[in-house]
Amino acid sequence: MDDMTALKCDHFIRSLVEDCSIDTVPVAEVWPEVERAECLARGAALKWASGVFCRPEYLERLSQYRKRESQRTASIHTRLKSMVQSYLEGVGWGLEQLQEAKVELREVSHALKKAGLESNQNADRVKPLERLREVSVNHCQLFAAVSNLPRLYSVRSMVLETERLVESRRLLEAHARLMDLERWQDDILWQLHGAAGTARSALSSEDKELVDKYFSGVGQLVDALGKELWAVVSSALALARQNPTPFVSAVRIVEREEALDQVLLEERGGTGNNSRPMPPGRPRCWRACFFRVLEEAVSARFRSVSYLHTRGPGLAGHLSALQHATMADLATVRHLLEHCVPPHYRLTGAYLRASHRCLHAHLLQVSSWDLESGEIFAVLNWVRHIYNSPDMMGHPDLVTELEREELGPLISAEGLEQLQGKYVQSVRKSVSEWMRKALQVELQDWQRDQEPDTDHEGFYQTSLPTIITQMLEENARVALMIGEALRDQTIQMGLYEMENLLNRFRDALVEFGKEHRRNMSNNKNKFYLHYLLASISNCIILKKSTESLQQQQTSRSAGQFSRTPPNPLAALDRAVRRACRLVMDQLLLDLQPLLPGLLTRPWLVHGDPTPKLCHVLEHHLELYGRVRPPCRERLQEEAQWLMVVEYIRALMQKRLVCRSADERRKLTQQMVRDDQLFREILHGLEGDGLVPDVNPLALLPILADFIRLKDPSMLTLEVSGLVAKYPDISEEHVCVLLDIRGDVSRDIRGAVLDLLEQSAPPLPAGYRPIFTDILVPPTTMAFCLPTAKCA
């Protein structure tokens, strides 16, 4: 930018600042902030101009900017002048108003001074009138006494007459006389005060005692009349059905008293010295007393319902009597008494409130008793279903009143929870006792000298599952009549007790087995096996019942119980496993006398004792058919495994070692014949498709082929196939098989053993070991002298 341009720009900026600024020289002496504001304005203007005229060509619009800023400055000046002018006008108007107020205040002050002077002058003139005021007061009192003498003399007779009317229950007439007496008493008390402006404190204690003495019978009349009124109100239900006139009279008197209370409160409710005082005993609030007496009468009605035979089965009858009495009283109130009172009484609603409160208190008392399950059920059913049903508070004619009153629950939610908890505990106590007795009966049945009972399908069973199932299902059904929550709690309790029962049942099975082994010599329990099988069938029935109960529970009840949830199915599985184990032990016990004859020289020649073994096995399998599926198939499978394992265990005993190829041939032929006999007995397993992945019967032909193999050099291949099918076979088992052959050289034995060491496959998933349960007896070295041959 050249010097000329800079000079023009500086001249424009100075002129711009001068135009934008206000002549503040004299003002700055008063307000220093103005000088600082001017400096800030100059700085802002310089900054703005430096930004706008940063280039020479922008100076062409200098005149436009100057003109625009001049117009803006002129506009600002105009607005400032207008604003200052308006402020000045306002200040001037305010000063005028203050001047006028000052003049008016001066005039008022002069008037007050003048009034004060005149008041001081009148005070001296009033003093001679004090004696006249005293005479006037005495005259008024004497005049009141003279004018009230006839009334005072007739008070006693009026009181006696009113007492007679009250006793004869002529309530309206008695109340009219009583109002006259009270009015006389009130007038006399007021007249004794003197003039209307006289304070009440002016009444001397002697005068008040004198009036109270003359009217001493009025208070007693009020009490007597009130007593008769409340007696009538208490017996309103009975009077409504016979003669409602006394009740109507009582209501009219109550309304008169209520209206009189309101008038007196409005007229004499002030606290000033000139206000007329309230008569003695006012306000009476007899309308509130009316409803209080009505509630007490309702409570008495509830107490009048017989409490005899309330406990036990009589509680349901007691609640039913309460229902009928309440509904009969409500009908009387709705149809008769409601027409005897003003509409704003809403007598039906008041009776509903009173009945609800009395029932609430009564049921709290009943709930605090030590109730049995049947009694708690009666209370819960009455509260949750009967009370709000159309037969009681849900009656169509009462629904509108109930909506207005908002009575609330008869028993709180916490109270219902506690009551349901007591119900569940009471039921649990009886269920536990019934289960204990049922188990005792079951244990006694096990000692019977006859077969267990059978159902329509021919399966063994006893009375235990029927008792338990019916008891739990009945409790669940009864609890559902109250609600799903109570049903879920009852089922949960039943499942806990079922689990405890099954644990005791399992312990009883163990003890039953021990007792049977102790008494085997005297053959005390001939049907031991039969009752074991019946116990297994019972467990299957209980399992179905348990699953049915669990399905009845709602899904939301799973997290409502803080305790560990019951697991009766696991307890059932443990009991079934223990019973099956005892059944297999009995099978082994029956087979034990015959097993030593297997795979011996006599067996090789005659085939004994395989037919006897098959007979024992067939007898057991026939009994297993009396067991419900799937445990029937499980027992048959376990019997098959036990038979094969014992057969292989007998083979591993090396009771028979072949000396020639002919013996090996006979041995394998006999093993194949035994296998055929076993298959004929166990053919049902294959027909039902319940043969396991590793069929133990398939092992016998494989072992026979191993022994029958003519070329020993092929044993390595045969062993590899055997290990592939039965990976749990050990080196000791293979050595025994090689020994039984009797023709295996040391080299072949070493090659076979090396193969076993190299190929030790892991057991596949789901594989059930068979050789693991078969122990090979240790080899006993025969004593001999250390000869060169032995060396």
Side-chain angles (χ1 to χ4, degrees):
M1 182 182 299
D2 55 6
D3 296 337
M4 183 59 69
T5 304
L7 183 60
K8 291 181 179 180
C9 182
D10 183 71
H11 176 69
F12 170 72
I13 292 172
R14 290 179 181 276
S15 61
L16 179 63
V17 171
E18 290 175 357
D19 293 340
C20 293
S21 63
I22 306 174
D23 187 10
T24 60
V25 175
V27 180
E29 296 177 359
V30 183
W31 292 306
E33 291 84 358
V34 176
E35 182 178 358
R36 183 171 178 270
E38 184 177 358
C39 292
L40 292 175
R42 289 178 181 276
L46 287 172
K47 185 176 180 181
W48 176 81
S50 300
V52 172
F53 302 106
C54 60
R55 300 187 62 169
E57 56 269 20
Y58 292 164
L59 291 175
E60 297 175 357
R61 290 181 287 180
L62 179 60
S63 60
Q64 297 177 5
Y65 283 118
R66 184 180 182 85
K67 182 180 180 180
R68 188 183 68 180
E69 295 301 328
S70 298
Q71 293 175 353
R72 183 182 299 175
T73 302
S75 175
I76 292 173
H77 285 170
T78 302
R79 285 185 300 208
L80 285 173
K81 291 178 181 178
S82 175
M83 182 178 64
V84 170
Q85 182 65 30
S86 65
Y87 285 164
L88 290 175
E89 291 176 356
V91 171
W93 181 82
L95 291 174
E96 292 176 1
Q97 294 294 322
L98 290 174
Q99 188 66 27
E100 293 177 0
K102 181 179 179 182
V103 173
E104 292 177 358
L105 286 173
R106 188 179 294 113
E107 294 175 356
V108 171
S109 178
H110 288 314
L112 287 175
K113 288 181 181 180
K114 183 178 179 180
L117 293 174
E118 293 179 355
S119 176
N120 292 333
Q121 293 175 0
N122 292 331
D124 298 334
R125 300 172 184 174
V126 170
K127 290 181 180 179
L129 298 178
E130 290 293 335
R131 177 60 184 168
L132 182 60
R133 182 183 294 111
E134 294 177 1
V135 172
S136 176
V137 169
N138 291 332
H139 174 74
C140 291
Q141 291 178 347
L142 291 173
F143 177 77
V146 171
S147 61
N148 286 299
L149 280 177
R151 294 182 180 178
L152 292 175
Y153 284 121
S154 63
V155 166
R156 183 60 184 168
S157 61
M158 287 268 301
V159 169
L160 294 175
E161 178 65 17
T162 307
E163 287 180 352
R164 185 183 62 79
L165 292 173
V166 170
E167 291 174 356
S168 60
R169 280 204 173 181
R170 294 163 64 181
L171 302 180
L172 288 175
E173 298 178 32
H175 185 252
R177 300 290 181 89
L178 179 61
M179 291 178 68
D180 290 340
L181 288 170
E182 288 180 330
R183 186 168 58 254
W184 292 355
Q185 182 183 8
D186 186 46
D187 291 343
I188 291 173
L189 286 173
W190 179 243
Q191 290 173 9
L192 288 176
H193 279 82
T198 304
R200 181 174 174 82
S201 59
L203 179 64
S204 63
S205 58
E206 293 82 2
D207 294 339
K208 189 174 184 304
E209 290 177 359
L210 182 62
V211 174
D212 291 342
K213 180 180 179 181
Y214 272 100
F215 291 92
S216 61
V218 175
Q220 298 175 0
L221 280 177
V222 172
D223 296 338
L225 180 61
K227 185 177 180 181
E228 288 297 324
L229 284 177
W230 308 142
V232 169
V233 173
S234 299
S235 58
L237 292 172
L239 292 173
R241 300 184 183 96
Q242 300 171 2
N243 180 21
T245 302
F247 179 75
V248 175
S249 300
V251 173
R252 291 178 63 183
I253 293 171
V254 168
E255 283 303 294
R256 287 180 186 175
E257 288 290 329
E258 194 71 17
L260 188 56
D261 284 345
Q262 294 297 325
V263 171
L264 292 175
L265 286 173
E266 292 174 1
E267 293 179 351
R268 312 184 187 184
T271 58
N273 291 334
N274 293 328
S275 62
R276 189 167 180 172
M278 291 288 288
R282 293 286 182 179
R284 294 205 174 104
C285 303
W286 274 10
R287 187 186 293 168
C289 292
F290 173 88
F291 288 105
R292 186 163 57 249
V293 170
L294 180 67
E295 184 170 351
E296 293 174 356
V298 173
S299 178
R301 290 280 294 174
F302 280 102
R303 289 193 297 270
S304 67
V305 177
S306 177
Y307 275 69
L308 298 176
H309 311 296
T310 302
R311 303 301 301 275
L315 181 58
H318 170 68
L319 294 175
S320 178
L322 282 179
Q323 174 190 356
H324 293 305
T326 303
M327 294 308 294
D329 292 348
L330 281 172
T332 302
V333 172
R334 195 169 68 252
H335 297 301
L336 299 178
L337 291 182
E338 191 73 58
H339 304 292
C340 300
V341 298
H344 62 84
Y345 270 48
R346 291 175 55 191
L347 196 60
T348 303
Y351 197 89
L352 274 174
R353 288 195 305 271
S355 301
H356 185 79
R357 283 194 289 266
C358 292
L359 282 173
H360 174 73
H362 179 58
L363 289 178
L364 285 181
Q365 179 187 6
V366 171
S367 301
S368 64
W369 297 343
D370 187 14
L371 302 176
E372 299 293 334
S373 58
E375 299 170 315
I376 300 174
F377 174 83
V379 174
L380 287 173
N381 184 60
W382 199 82
V383 170
R384 301 196 61 165
H385 299 297
I386 296 178
Y387 185 70
N388 294 316
S389 68
D391 294 333
M392 201 169 176
M393 295 302 180
H395 194 278
D397 296 337
L398 300 177
V399 171
T400 305
E401 292 293 337
L402 282 174
E403 292 175 352
R404 290 180 184 173
E405 299 302 328
E406 297 180 356
L407 300 178
L410 190 58
I411 296 181
S412 64
E414 295 79 5
L416 284 176
E417 286 293 331
Q418 294 177 1
L419 206 56
Q420 290 182 2
K422 289 175 63 176
Y423 174 80
V424 173
Q425 291 302 320
S426 178
V427 173
R428 182 171 196 165
K429 182 179 178 181
S430 60
V431 166
S432 178
E433 182 65 20
W434 272 101
M435 286 186 174
R436 185 184 64 81
K437 292 180 179 180
L439 185 58
Q440 289 179 352
V441 173
E442 178 74 6
L443 298 182
Q444 294 173 2
D445 289 345
W446 289 354
Q447 306 300 328
R448 291 194 306 174
D449 194 17
Q450 63 182 33
E451 279 191 84
D453 299 331
T454 58
D455 60 8
H456 65 284
E457 296 178 294
F459 299 126
Y460 283 143
Q461 70 171 15
T462 60
S463 60
L464 178 67
T466 303
I467 295 174
I468 301 302
T469 299
Q470 290 180 353
M471 178 171 52
L472 295 182
E473 289 180 352
E474 179 66 17
N475 285 327
R477 185 187 64 80
V478 171
L480 183 60
M481 296 171 65
I482 303 300
E484 290 187 355
L486 184 60
R487 188 268 312 274
D488 293 342
Q489 294 180 30
T490 305
I491 291 177
Q492 193 83 346
M493 173 275 301
L495 295 178
Y496 276 118
E497 292 302 318
M498 174 82 81
E499 184 176 7
N500 296 334
L501 170 71
L502 291 171
N503 290 332
R504 296 195 300 268
F505 183 74
R506 178 177 175 273
D507 296 339
L509 285 174
V510 174
E511 187 62 32
F512 187 42
K514 292 179 181 179
E515 182 183 0
H516 174 68
R517 287 190 291 272
R518 288 194 298 266
N519 299 326
M520 283 184 59
S521 58
N522 54 13
N523 197 18
K524 181 178 179 181
N525 195 339
K526 296 185 294 184
F527 298 97
Y528 166 75
L529 179 60
H530 303 72
Y531 281 101
L532 285 179
L533 299 176
S535 300
I536 296 174
S537 292
N538 291 343
C539 288
I540 296 172
I541 297 174
L542 291 176
K543 180 181 180 182
K544 293 179 180 179
S545 175
T546 301
E547 291 173 346
S548 174
L549 289 173
Q550 289 176 336
Q551 291 173 0
Q552 292 180 37
Q553 286 183 290
T554 56
S555 58
R556 65 176 181 274
S557 66
Q560 294 179 352
F561 303 96
S562 57
R563 294 179 53 188
T564 303
N567 193 1
L569 295 179
L572 270 168
D573 186 64
R574 291 192 295 268
V576 170
R577 287 178 181 274
R578 174 54 59 184
C580 291
R581 184 67 263 169
L582 292 174
V583 170
M584 290 300 104
D585 291 345
Q586 184 61 31
L587 174 59
L588 182 60
L589 197 63
D590 292 344
L591 295 176
Q592 202 66 47
L594 305 174
L595 292 177
L598 274 178
L599 298 162
T600 58
R601 293 289 173 181
W603 167 82
L604 187 62
V605 176
H606 304 290
D608 291 334
T610 303
K612 296 179 181 179
L613 288 172
C614 291
H615 177 72
V616 173
L617 183 60
E618 185 176 11
H619 174 66
H620 275 258
L621 291 176
E622 182 181 354
L623 291 178
Y624 299 164
R626 298 295 186 93
V627 179
R628 291 180 172 274
C631 286
R632 176 181 59 192
E633 290 77 12
R634 179 178 175 180
L635 288 172
Q636 292 172 347
E637 179 184 338
E638 291 298 324
Q640 178 185 5
W641 276 89
L642 186 143
M643 189 69 246
V644 173
V645 167
E646 294 301 324
Y647 195 93
I648 303 303
R649 183 177 283 115
L651 181 63
M652 293 298 154
Q653 297 293 326
K654 292 195 296 186
R655 299 168 186 166
L656 180 61
V657 177
C658 299
R659 303 169 185 170
S660 61
D662 184 60
E663 285 188 359
R664 286 194 293 276
R665 179 183 57 79
K666 290 180 180 179
L667 173 60
T668 56
Q669 287 178 354
Q670 190 61 39
M671 289 178 64
V672 170
R673 281 195 293 269
D674 290 350
D675 177 64
Q676 292 297 327
L677 290 175
F678 293 150
R679 288 182 182 275
E680 289 177 2
I681 296 173
L682 300 170
H683 70 281
L685 290 178
E686 298 179 359
D688 294 339
L690 295 171
V691 181
D693 295 335
V694 179
N695 186 3
L697 285 176
L699 180 59
L700 298 184
I702 293 174
L703 295 179
D705 293 340
F706 183 86
I707 297 172
R708 186 170 51 233
L709 188 64
K710 295 180 180 180
D711 187 1
S713 61
M714 299 295 292
L715 287 175
T716 304
L717 182 60
E718 193 72 19
V719 168
S720 64
L722 184 62
V723 171
K725 291 183 179 180
Y726 301 95
D728 62 320
I729 193 171
S730 65
E731 182 179 335
E732 289 79 7
H733 295 122
V734 175
C735 289
V736 170
L737 294 176
L738 297 177
D739 292 340
I740 291 174
R741 283 183 58 89
D743 62 342
V744 181
S745 63
R746 184 175 298 177
D747 295 337
I748 295 175
R749 181 185 294 270
V752 170
L753 296 180
D754 291 340
L755 174 65
L756 288 174
E757 290 180 2
Q758 295 175 3
S759 61
L763 299 181
Y767 173 79
R768 180 176 180 180
I770 186 170
F771 285 96
T772 304
D773 299 332
I774 301 172
L775 299 178
V776 177
T779 304
T780 57
M781 295 294 295
F783 177 76
C784 63
L785 292 174
T787 60
K789 184 176 181 181
C790 290

